[in-house]
Amino acid sequence: MTTLEKLTILADSAKYDVSCSSSGSNRSATYNGIGNASAPGICHSFADDGRCISLLKILFTNACMYDCGYCINRNSNDSIKRVSFTPDELVDLVIQFYRRNYIEGLFLSSGVLRSPDYTMEQLIQVVKTLRVRENFNGYIHLKGIPGADAKLIREAGLYVDRMSLNIELPTSQSLRLLAPEKDRAQIIEPMKLIREEMASYRVDAKKFKKAKLFVPAGQTTQLIVGATPEPDYMILRISEAFYQKMKLKRVYYSSYVPVGRVEGVVPYGIHSLQREHRIYQADWLLRFYGFKASELLNEEAPDLDLVLDPKAQWALRNLHLFPIDVNRADLMTLLRVPGIGTVSARRILAARRLAYLDFDGLKRIGVVLKRAQYFITCKGKMLARVDENPMFLRQLLADGNTQLNLFDLYPKQFGGGHERLSI
Ligand code: SF4
C-alpha cells in the first residue's frame, strides 16, 4: 500500500479525536533546525464540525487490538481497512508536509498495536527521530497509550509539546461497559506522572538555563458525551477535578458519534452537538469566569438547558443578586453578568477609572447591552426593566430569539418536568 493510501485511511481514522490544539508552547527555531512553535500557538483552522485541522492529525495505526464500543477503530468493526505506518514513513511524511508548508505541527495518536508498550515505543521512535535526527522544532501533540510503562511515558514527554491521555468516559462503570480492556487507573496514573514530571522539570528550568523541557504545553484529555447516561453535572465535576488536581490545560468534549451498532451503547440525548456546545461554554466558565460546577448545576437539575447559555441559566436562578452597579462591581462580579465577557469587563474597569459610566459610555467602549441590560444599573438606573418572572426573562435571553413554548418546555431548573429541551 502506498503512503498516500495509508495517509488517507489513517487521517480519516484520527478525525474523531478532538483533543488537539496547539496553544501554549514556545520554542524558537534553532540553528540548522526547521520549524518553531510560538506561544500563541501555530495557526488553527477548524472544520465545519468544529474539529481542529491545522496540524497533521494522524494515527500511527488503526489496527487496534482493543474493542472500545465508541470507536471506529475497534477491532470488531469490519468496515474499515487496517493499516500502520512505520516510524520512518511517518517522520518522512511530517517533514515533507512541513517543507511544503502544508502543516505546522503534528498531532499523533494511535490504536493499540500488539501491546500498549510496543505502540508507545513506536510513537516514541517517531517523535524522537523528528526532534533528534530531523531537528524538527514544530509543535507535537502526542497521545499517550493507556497501560504503557511509566518509563515510556517519561521518555515521550521529553520530545513533545503536549501529551494527552483520554479519560473517554466519565465513570469506571461506563469504561468497563464500553472499553473493557481499559482501566481507569491506566489513564489516571500516567496523568499524575506527567503532572509531577512537569512540575519537577519546571523547577530545574528555573535553576538551569539549558534544562530540558517536559511536556511544556501541558496535558489534556477528552471525554465522550452522550454514549453513556452520565449527566452534565457529573461531567463538569470531573472536568473541574481534572483542572484543579491534574492541572490539565483543557478537557475536550466529543459528542458521541454512533459507528455501527454496538452492544451496550444507547446514544443518550438527541441533541448531542448542542449539548457538547453547552458543556464547552460551561467549561469556559469554570476556567475563566470563576464559576464552580456546583453553581452551574446540581443533583436536582443535573443537565444544562439547551436553549440558554450556562451563564444566563445561572443568572436566572440567582436573580436576587442582580442588578449590579457597573460603576462599583469588582471584576469577578462583572464577569457573572450575562453578555459581559472578559474583554468587556476589563474595559469597564479601565474606563471607570476615568469617568462615571452611563449606558452610552458602556456602548462607546464596546460593551454589548442586548443581554447585559437586564442585569446592570448605571447611575442607579436600569436600561430595561423587566418582569421578574424568570421565564419571561428566559425568553428574552434565549439564543437566536428562539420562540419558546413556556408550558411545554418548562425546564427542570424552574420546576418543570423536562430534563432536556427541544428547540
Ligand atoms: S484503544 Fe479504543 S479508542 Fe483507542 S483506537 Fe483502540 S478501540 Fe479506539
Side-chain angles (χ1 to χ4, degrees), residues 64 66-68 70-75 110-112 168 182:
C64 187
Y66 286 1
D67 201 35
C68 307
Y70 45 80
C71 177
I72 191 169
N73 302 312
R74 65 181 185 274
N75 67 14
S110 183
V112 182
E168 306 289 20
K182 286 184 182 168

Side-chain angles (χ1 to χ4, degrees), residues 42-62:
I42 60 173
C43 301
H44 295 83
S45 60
F46 293 90
D48 285 346
D49 59 1
R51 291 183 165 88
C52 173
I53 54 169
S54 60
L55 312 171
L56 172 59
K57 185 174 176 181
I58 194 107
L59 292 189
F60 180 80
T61 179
N62 67 353

Side-chain angles (χ1 to χ4, degrees), residues 154-394:
R154 249 188 224 109
E155 184 179 358
L158 294 172
Y159 301 110
V160 302
D161 295 275
R162 176 165 283 181
M163 271 183 92
S164 50
L165 281 121
N166 285 355
I167 190 76
E168 306 289 20
L169 295 165
T171 61
S172 306
Q173 194 187 3
S174 292
L175 202 63
R176 268 197 301 279
L177 181 69
L178 295 185
E181 291 102 339
K182 286 184 182 168
D183 174 352
R184 202 172 166 84
Q186 292 177 339
I187 302 164
I188 300 291
E189 289 307 316
M191 275 186 183
K192 285 186 192 161
L193 178 106
I194 294 170
R195 179 196 61 193
E196 278 150 23
E197 292 291 307
M198 280 167 56
S200 105
Y201 276 81
R202 264 199 301 270
V203 171
D204 285 354
K206 282 185 189 151
K207 289 189 205 152
F208 311 108
K209 206 173 168 193
K210 293 203 169 168
K212 282 188 178 170
L213 295 172
F214 186 90
V215 192
Q219 57 173 331
T220 62
T221 193
Q222 171 181 294
L223 260 169
I224 294 167
V225 174
T228 46
E230 292 84 7
D232 299 340
Y233 179 45
M234 183 181 282
I235 289 170
L236 288 181
R237 277 184 40 205
I238 290 166
S239 300
E240 187 173 60
F242 277 137
Y243 288 131
Q244 287 170 1
K245 294 184 185 153
M246 295 291 179
K247 309 289 177 212
L248 291 200
K249 283 280 182 194
R250 288 288 303 268
V251 178
Y252 290 89
Y253 307 94
S254 175
S255 186
Y256 171 62
V257 180
V259 194
R261 204 177 138 66
V262 183
E263 194 67 29
V265 178
V266 183
Y268 286 83
I270 47 174
H271 310 286
S272 288
L273 278 177
Q274 181 69 354
R275 184 183 175 198
E276 180 188 298
H277 173 60
R278 291 293 179 224
I279 294 175
Y280 268 116
Q281 288 179 317
D283 179 280
W284 201 260
L285 295 181
L286 298 183
R287 288 188 296 138
F288 302 114
Y289 286 72
F291 279 87
K292 294 193 174 74
S294 57
E295 291 179 284
L296 298 173
L297 293 169
N298 55 49
E299 300 284 356
E300 282 72 46
D303 285 307
L304 293 163
D305 182 341
L306 297 180
V307 175
L308 282 187
D309 70 82
K311 204 208 287 188
Q313 292 172 40
W314 173 84
L316 289 187
R317 284 197 308 274
N318 291 281
L319 282 178
H320 61 283
L321 301 175
F322 297 101
I324 60 122
D325 181 349
V326 285
N327 284 295
R328 292 181 191 280
D330 61 19
L331 176 66
M332 297 319 283
T333 307
L334 285 171
L335 285 175
R336 292 192 167 224
V337 176
I340 294 185
T342 49
V343 173
S344 294
R346 288 183 198 287
R347 281 186 191 165
I348 290 169
L349 291 185
R352 76 187 192 194
R353 275 189 216 116
L354 307 173
Y356 215 60
L357 285 169
D358 57 16
F359 287 105
D360 286 335
L362 286 176
K363 285 181 195 161
R364 273 198 298 278
I365 61 172
V367 178
V368 179
L369 295 175
K370 188 177 168 210
R371 294 150 71 76
Q373 62 183 327
Y374 307 113
F375 300 94
I376 57 173
T377 60
C378 282
K379 299 184 177 173
K381 290 186 188 144
M382 284 189 84
L383 194 62
R385 185 161 292 282
V386 290
D387 192 313
E388 288 197 350
N389 180 347
M391 285 310 293
F392 182 61
L393 202 43
R394 180 169 179 271

